[in-house]
Amino acid sequence: EFAQMFRRFGAKVTVIEAGAHIASHEDDDISDCMVEILREDGIGILTNTKAVRVSGSDGDVVLDVETAGEAKSLRGTHLLVATGRTPNTDALKLERVGVMVDDRGYIKVSERLETGVDGIWAIGDVKGGPAFTHISYDDFRILRANLLEGGTRTTKDRVLPYCMFIDPELGRVGMSEKEAKEAGRDVRVAVMPAKRVARANEMAETRGMWKAIVDRQSGEILGAAILGVNGGEVVTQIQLAMMGGLKYTALREGMFIHPALAEGMNVLFDSFRD
């Protein structure tokens, strides 16, 4: 997101990635499509690249890297280091009351968000996991239901959506293909280029791809990735189907407004690899 933003501000931008793919939590084909889009925007991307040393002064930063077995120096005015987050739990002195944290400092909780100490719960980023505002808000709903309404809600099996707000967006929900196979699921994979969506063509926004993961036996939708215009909005519609227990055939055969982006779900769920 920041790379594309600063590129559109007019800066020259290079992304340095230590792994083989950017956005390593995504499937390789989604990541490769993202790289193609970002490179079309003029962003340099170096994968399998190790940052070795930073030198220079204000306005003149030199980054030495190792890439493809050779040393290389990149010069620029600014360096953004994106290496994750550290929870600020040290100052809370949690050990005094017996609240446990893991080796990274995140508070350990149960599926009901209990810390193990009576009367103390933890929600949001401080308990680890994906750091999204909507997860924190859903954590609040769990506590509200259980503490004030006598409920039994937990974090188990909740469907996790998120969106990477590049242009076009990457909306994702549920399992990736990689995650589903690692979980031992027998899956079918539906995939198509975004240019097959009529609305995307009308908007002249055809970059990207749509992908969905379906259980082969039951027809259950396990997850989806929509890399395309308004991808976050489209994937939310698939999320609603997953929450309602609809099989993929309901979206393949459903009647959606023409030429809304939702109509693309008819095409997607009729575009399996096998």
Side-chain angles (χ1 to χ4, degrees):
E1 293 169 344
F2 272 79
Q4 193 177 53
M5 177 179 69
F6 278 101
R7 179 70 189 109
R8 294 185 176 190
F9 287 160
K12 291 184 178 180
V13 178
T14 301
V15 175
I16 309 299
E17 169 59 50
H21 297 273
I22 65 171
S24 58
H25 48 284
E26 306 296 339
D27 287 329
D28 291 350
D29 53 358
I30 295 292
S31 175
D32 291 343
C33 191
M34 289 176 57
V35 167
E36 181 180 342
I37 289 170
L38 295 174
R39 283 177 172 161
E40 283 179 357
D41 284 359
I43 297 170
I45 297 178
L46 296 177
T47 56
N48 291 316
T49 300
K50 178 182 178 181
V52 176
R53 181 174 53 255
V54 179
S55 59
S57 56
D58 291 344
D60 184 21
V61 179
V62 178
L63 176 64
D64 294 329
V65 301
E66 292 180 0
T67 183
E70 64 178 82
K72 186 174 183 179
S73 293
L74 305 175
R75 184 178 297 273
T77 58
H78 295 78
L79 175 65
L80 171 63
V81 181
T83 57
R85 308 181 186 189
T86 300
N88 57 350
T89 54
D90 290 348
L92 298 178
K93 307 299 181 183
L94 296 173
E95 68 278 1
R96 294 181 178 178
V97 293
V99 172
M100 304 296 294
V101 299
D102 64 17
D103 55 1
R104 298 182 62 191
Y106 290 108
I107 297 176
K108 295 181 179 180
V109 295
S110 70
E111 293 175 351
R112 291 170 54 89
L113 303 177
E114 302 159 320
T115 64
V117 177
D118 189 39
I120 301 179
W121 298 263
I123 67 175
D125 298 354
V126 77
K127 70 180 190 341
F132 297 124
T133 302
H134 48 279
I135 290 181
S136 297
Y137 196 78
D138 195 60
D139 287 349
F140 149 73
R141 293 190 188 100
I142 291 173
L143 289 193
R144 179 188 62 188
N146 295 348
L147 298 182
L148 303 181
E149 301 169 359
T152 57
R153 287 191 57 177
T154 72
T155 59
K156 186 178 180 180
D157 297 328
R158 62 179 174 182
V159 179
L160 170 61
Y162 58 86
C163 187
M164 187 181 299
F165 289 99
I166 56 176
D167 181 20
E169 298 171 2
L170 171 62
R172 204 153 67 80
V173 66
M175 290 182 170
S176 66
E177 178 182 3
K178 179 168 51 179
E179 290 168 341
K181 290 180 177 178
E182 288 175 351
R185 303 294 292 262
D186 183 14
V187 299
R188 299 183 70 195
V189 179
V191 63
M192 70 177 190
K195 64 183 179 182
R196 291 192 62 191
V197 182
R199 183 64 170 176
N201 282 277
E202 292 175 351
M203 298 172 70
E205 294 278 2
T206 58
R207 299 196 298 177
M209 61 182 290
W210 291 25
K211 183 175 184 178
I213 314 302
V214 169
D215 184 273
R216 184 179 299 276
Q217 302 302 321
S218 68
E220 175 191 4
I221 304 170
L222 302 178
I226 307 298
L227 176 56
V229 59
N230 291 338
E233 305 297 335
V234 176
V235 88
T236 297
Q237 298 176 26
I238 298 176
Q239 178 190 355
L240 288 172
M242 294 169 65
M243 293 169 64
L246 295 179
K247 296 183 179 181
Y248 80 90
T249 49
L251 301 185
R252 185 188 66 188
E253 306 298 336
M255 182 172 63
F256 303 112
I257 295 171
H258 175 76
L261 286 167
E263 193 180 39
M265 292 189 293
N266 293 150
V267 186
L268 173 63
F269 287 103
D270 198 30
S271 302
F272 288 97
R273 290 174 178 166
D274 58 358

